[in-house]
Amino acid sequence: MGRSRRTIPEELLLLALDPATGTTAQPQSLDLGLAGAQLVELALAGRIAPDGDRIAVVAPRPTGDPTLDCALELLRRRGAPVRAVNWIGGPRLGLRQTYLSHLERCGMVAAVPGQMCGVLPTTRYQATDTAISREIRARLDSAIRTGVPPDPRTAALAALAHAVGLGKHLYPGNEGRSSRSRLRDLIRHDPMGGLVAHAVMDVQNGAAAQPRRSPAPAGRQAAPGGRTAAEPARGVPVQPRRGSMARVVAH
């Protein structure tokens, strides 16, 4: 996988950067979106494929992108297809910072040190080439405006942007209501992007521990939470902490 093309996690993060403040919009859900964007990028690279509501590794060879290859190796070590909602809901400490640092090394953003309340050191990130962000945004705008089915990458990006709540950041206010609605509708144009986007929203809604399943067979009474009486409870994936600061704090 060459590095001439920006990955979907990179594009999602660039979309979320606020040019006025240097912070990221929707920081809590964005972390989930970046984990989901990695899955979409790996699927587009032919390394994984959907298996119902699960993700299966179909080609474990490296992509050449260290961050994606780390995710691919973790998926491979699972040994069996993993539910997308469990993967996305798992701990992803530092993933946003990893991509911000990568964008800085690539010269697409610049780190601006500062302080919060005159005490806490913080780092804000400003886009250094606004043409890149405008091009990404233009692809979404075109898909929304024309109604023409977008390419898989743009469709997946739109699905993730909607899932993490960037619609109100990209198309604010009452005047942006129709655009936000159309952004949501783009989710249907890419099956993998749709699967991942719904998984992101399920994690945010606390539904990660409740897989969609058919009714329990006769003789097995369903327990609260959608489990059968004979089935042990599944562990609830780590949720983003409430109250996280929008700024990235430099340690």
Side-chain angles (χ1 to χ4, degrees):
M1 178 179 175
R3 297 297 297 130
S4 60
R5 184 194 295 271
R6 293 182 302 273
T7 65
I8 293 177
E10 293 164 5
E11 293 196 329
L12 183 66
L13 188 49
L14 286 171
L15 273 180
L17 273 181
D18 189 321
T21 65
T23 61
T24 53
Q26 302 298 110
Q28 297 174 2
S29 55
L30 181 61
D31 292 340
L32 302 175
L34 289 173
Q38 287 186 313
L39 294 181
V40 176
E41 192 66 47
L42 287 170
L44 290 172
R47 301 316 196 262
I48 64 175
D51 181 5
D53 68 344
R54 298 175 182 265
I55 302 297
V57 175
V58 295
R61 66 184 184 278
T63 66
D65 181 305
T67 308
L68 289 176
D69 288 341
C70 179
L72 180 61
E73 177 61 14
L74 289 174
L75 286 167
R76 186 193 67 78
R77 289 179 184 176
R78 294 292 185 95
V82 58
R83 290 182 64 222
V85 71
N86 285 348
W87 172 263
I88 290 169
R92 293 291 179 272
L93 296 177
L95 186 58
R96 185 169 16 127
Q97 182 60 54
T98 295
Y99 274 107
L100 283 169
S101 298
H102 169 74
L103 291 176
E104 183 184 10
R105 289 192 300 271
C106 293
M108 284 188 273
V109 302
V112 181
Q115 287 185 329
M116 180 185 296
C117 301
V119 179
L120 295 176
T122 64
T123 302
R124 301 185 181 193
Y125 291 85
Q126 299 287 349
T128 55
D129 188 349
T130 56
I132 294 176
S133 297
R134 288 198 301 269
E135 182 271 329
I136 298 170
R137 174 69 178 270
R139 282 163 41 209
L140 290 185
D141 290 345
S142 177
I144 288 173
R145 182 179 64 256
T146 65
V148 175
D151 63 273
R153 299 185 72 83
T154 302
L157 181 62
L160 286 162
H162 166 70
V164 303
L166 288 184
K168 58 187 177 184
H169 167 70
L170 299 170
Y171 307 103
N174 288 333
E175 64 275 15
R177 182 179 299 175
S178 61
S179 293
R180 292 195 299 271
S181 177
R182 295 190 188 102
L183 181 70
R184 179 195 62 217
D185 292 343
L186 291 176
I187 200 170
R188 70 181 186 275
H189 290 295
D190 180 64
M192 185 65 179
L195 168 65
V196 169
H198 280 111
V200 169
M201 291 185 283
D202 281 349
V203 172
Q204 293 180 83
N205 293 331
Q210 301 177 17
R212 297 183 180 91
R213 60 175 75 246
S214 56
R220 299 183 68 190
Q221 184 176 2
R227 297 179 287 108
T228 61
E231 181 186 5
R234 296 178 182 266
V236 179
V238 175
Q239 301 291 319
R241 290 184 301 175
R242 299 185 64 183
S244 299
M245 291 184 297
R247 297 176 176 83
V248 177
V249 179
H251 296 284

